[in-house]
Amino acid sequence: MQKKIFLVIAAIGLAITTLKAQSYNVVIKGGHVMDPKNNIDTEMDIAIKDGKIALVAKSIDPKLGLQVVDAKGLYVTPGLIDIHTHNFYGTEPDHQYENGNLALPPDGFTFRNGVTTVVDAGSSGWRTFPTFKAQTIDQSQTRVLAFINIVGEGMRGGYEQNSNDMDAKMAALVARRYRNFVVGFKVAHYEGHEWIAVDHAVEAGNMAGGLPVMIDFGGSNPPLSIEELFRKHLRPGDIFTHCFGQLDNREYIVDLATQKIKPFVWEARKRGIYFDVGYGGISFAFSQAIPAIKDGFSPNSISTDIHTGSMNNAMKDMLTTMSKFLNIGMDLYEVIRVSTSNPAKEIKHEELGTLSVGSDGDVAILSVRKGKFGLFDYTGFKIAADKKLECEMTIRAGKIVYDLNGIAVPIVPPRISTKIIASTK
């Protein structure tokens, strides 16, 4: 009996020694690392330990990893950041994106796309944000941040026209209280001919210590002047989303007669206004995006505006949206930049969107699939694409949360119990 107990203890000791020798939780081998924040665009290995990036080097001994990922032939990037989503899902009738059925639970749609951080774009307002935090942010594996709607109730359809519920002071108070989660303020769908919604949101941004504002024009007839918006109302660091939309009730950035970006749009970019895709259901048209890219005007950030309407139509998901830009003239490195480090800068969280040592272990491993694909917009305009991004693996805070083809070895991380049960039988 004593000999048996000794052998068990020895086996456990050997296992513990072996685990200690394995210095990292995950080692990613042989992938092409693209980390624009650190100007890395070459084959490298990455090690993750205790939820953080521990080492980025030309060669890391795979024996040091509890799990080893063979990323040869794949692209290893920071976890993608989607700064325009709608995740305040719920059961309230007629509430649309605010605790309603048009929003989506993030974890079901992020990891399979390499997305590790989303920013809800104004689904909640200052009055409803605590509920959103409790039921979505606190319950999600995905990192969920938020722009607070300048309307106190949030995105409840026609209610967003209620200028009496636009309160800059209360919005700023909530933003300061939840500063770890609130990244700015959102104007969405307001259809008036005055600037009250924009000005209230900018005021809230100033009161909250310089947080940015994301602008989504609801539309008006005649359209409000985006030149006036950029020159007289927005500040450097504010974000113009749906930048490649082409709707009759909104002014757009490409002059259809010249097929060039309007001069004042270039001026706005030079002044520090950010241009975000915010694809959505009807807020992206190739008739704007293609000439813009040809004119040298790429978006500052790629985002989806994902909701139940856009996910099953032309937009679909983050990687499909990125693939469209990859096929109309942007190179892969720049597509990754505007999906990682650029959006992190826009929301003033530059600790995200990077593979810097010490940063959170958020990683996307992507493939570029070659073939014949049809990528289209809501108008029915279709481009013939020869490449498409796909997600092989997503790692969130050092944990593999999505593995398409089982490329981690072992697939399930090893565990060891040090509990010894001695029997007297």
Side-chain angles (χ1 to χ4, degrees):
M1 175 57 65
Q2 289 181 340
K3 184 178 179 181
K4 183 183 289 187
I5 293 175
F6 173 79
L7 290 174
V8 170
I9 293 173
I12 292 173
L14 178 62
I16 292 173
T17 301
T18 302
L19 288 175
K20 286 183 177 178
Q22 291 171 305
S23 302
Y24 306 114
N25 299 100
V26 180
V27 171
I28 304 169
K29 292 286 298 180
H32 186 123
V33 176
M34 286 188 171
D35 180 10
K37 175 71 178 292
N38 291 306
N39 299 310
I40 298 175
D41 184 13
T42 189
E43 188 173 305
M44 301 281 278
D45 292 348
I46 294 175
I48 302 172
K49 183 177 182 179
D50 298 333
K52 303 288 184 180
I53 303 295
L55 181 64
V56 180
K58 274 294 182 182
S59 182
I60 300 173
D61 187 348
K63 293 179 181 178
L64 296 177
L66 291 174
Q67 285 180 290
V68 179
V69 177
D70 180 5
K72 189 173 180 61
L74 303 173
Y75 293 94
V76 181
T77 78
L80 306 180
I81 302 173
D82 187 349
I83 66 165
H84 190 147
T85 64
H86 292 289
N87 301 116
F88 193 178
Y89 65 99
T91 57
E92 292 292 331
D94 302 321
H95 275 221
Q96 297 194 356
Y97 305 96
E98 183 267 306
N99 206 16
N101 64 350
L102 298 186
L104 298 166
D107 292 348
F109 306 93
T110 49
F111 297 147
R112 62 187 52 246
N113 270 271
V115 175
T116 54
T117 300
V118 296
V119 185
D120 184 274
S123 302
S124 65
W126 63 263
R127 189 180 291 110
T128 56
F129 180 79
T131 301
F132 175 53
K133 180 180 181 297
Q135 77 178 46
T136 301
I137 294 178
D138 294 348
Q139 307 302 321
S140 301
Q141 291 185 73
T142 309
R143 179 188 293 102
V144 182
L145 305 173
F147 289 99
I148 289 182
N149 201 306
I150 193 57
V151 178
E153 284 291 307
M155 294 181 71
R156 283 181 52 182
Y159 187 87
E160 292 170 89
Q161 309 308 312
N162 185 358
S163 59
N164 292 323
D165 199 27
M166 298 176 185
D167 192 320
K169 181 178 179 180
M170 289 303 300
L173 283 171
V174 170
R176 288 199 296 268
R177 178 180 178 185
Y178 296 100
R179 60 173 54 89
N180 291 333
F181 304 98
V182 176
V183 302
F185 303 93
K186 174 77 180 296
V187 172
H189 303 166
Y190 187 68
E191 297 179 356
H193 282 89
E194 63 282 339
W195 298 95
I196 183 171
V198 173
D199 291 342
H200 275 308
V202 170
E203 182 184 2
N206 290 333
M207 294 174 70
L211 291 183
V213 168
M214 177 182 278
I215 301 297
D216 162 12
F217 270 158
S220 57
N221 195 7
L224 285 170
S225 166
I226 58 173
E227 181 175 10
E228 183 177 347
L229 172 71
F230 298 151
R231 288 182 172 175
K232 296 183 179 180
H233 298 274
L234 297 187
R235 309 154 298 169
D238 288 336
I239 303 163
F240 182 68
T241 194
H242 303 322
C243 68
F244 296 122
Q246 185 178 312
L247 299 172
D248 291 340
N249 59 355
R250 303 181 190 175
E251 184 181 1
Y252 27 88
I253 66 173
V254 171
D255 186 327
L256 296 182
T258 65
Q259 292 290 286
K260 299 288 185 181
I261 291 289
K262 297 174 181 177
F264 68 81
V265 176
W266 286 110
E267 293 173 8
R269 165 162 283 180
K270 185 176 180 180
R271 181 168 167 256
I273 305 298
Y274 294 123
F275 291 82
D276 173 61
V277 172
Y279 196 115
I282 58 173
S283 293
F284 172 95
F286 277 122
S287 54
Q288 288 287 301
I290 291 174
I293 298 299
K294 286 182 178 178
D295 200 22
F297 190 93
S298 300
N300 292 102
S301 53
I302 290 176
S303 67
T304 62
D305 185 16
I306 191 169
H307 49 76
T308 59
S310 63
M311 61 178 282
N312 292 320
N313 288 303
M315 188 282 294
K316 294 182 175 62
D317 52 40
M318 184 69 170
L319 290 181
T320 301
T321 303
M322 293 166 65
S323 296
K324 291 181 179 181
F325 287 92
L326 189 61
N327 281 278
I328 63 172
M330 289 183 69
D331 64 53
L332 180 59
Y333 188 78
E334 285 306 309
V335 168
I336 298 303
R337 182 195 301 277
V338 299
S339 304
T340 57
S341 57
N342 269 25
K345 181 179 180 181
E346 290 178 38
I347 62 173
K348 299 181 183 291
H349 278 269
E350 294 190 65
E351 76 279 7
L352 306 178
T354 176
L355 297 174
S356 299
V357 171
S359 64
D360 282 355
D362 293 353
V363 181
I365 302 180
L366 310 174
S367 64
V368 178
R369 182 179 173 187
K370 300 296 179 67
K372 294 182 179 180
F373 310 101
L375 300 176
F376 55 92
D377 65 17
Y378 80 99
T379 71
F381 184 91
K382 177 180 172 180
I383 63 170
D386 61 3
K387 48 189 172 291
K388 186 178 181 182
L389 288 165
E390 295 184 344
C391 180
E392 285 289 337
M393 176 176 284
T394 303
I395 301 173
R396 167 75 179 102
K399 178 183 177 182
I400 296 172
V401 291
Y402 180 78
D403 186 349
L404 180 62
N405 289 299
I407 60 174
V409 178
I411 293 175
V412 179
R415 296 179 181 180
I416 183 168
S417 174
T418 58
K419 185 177 181 180
I420 302 174
I421 302 177
S423 173
T424 58
K425 292 183 180 179

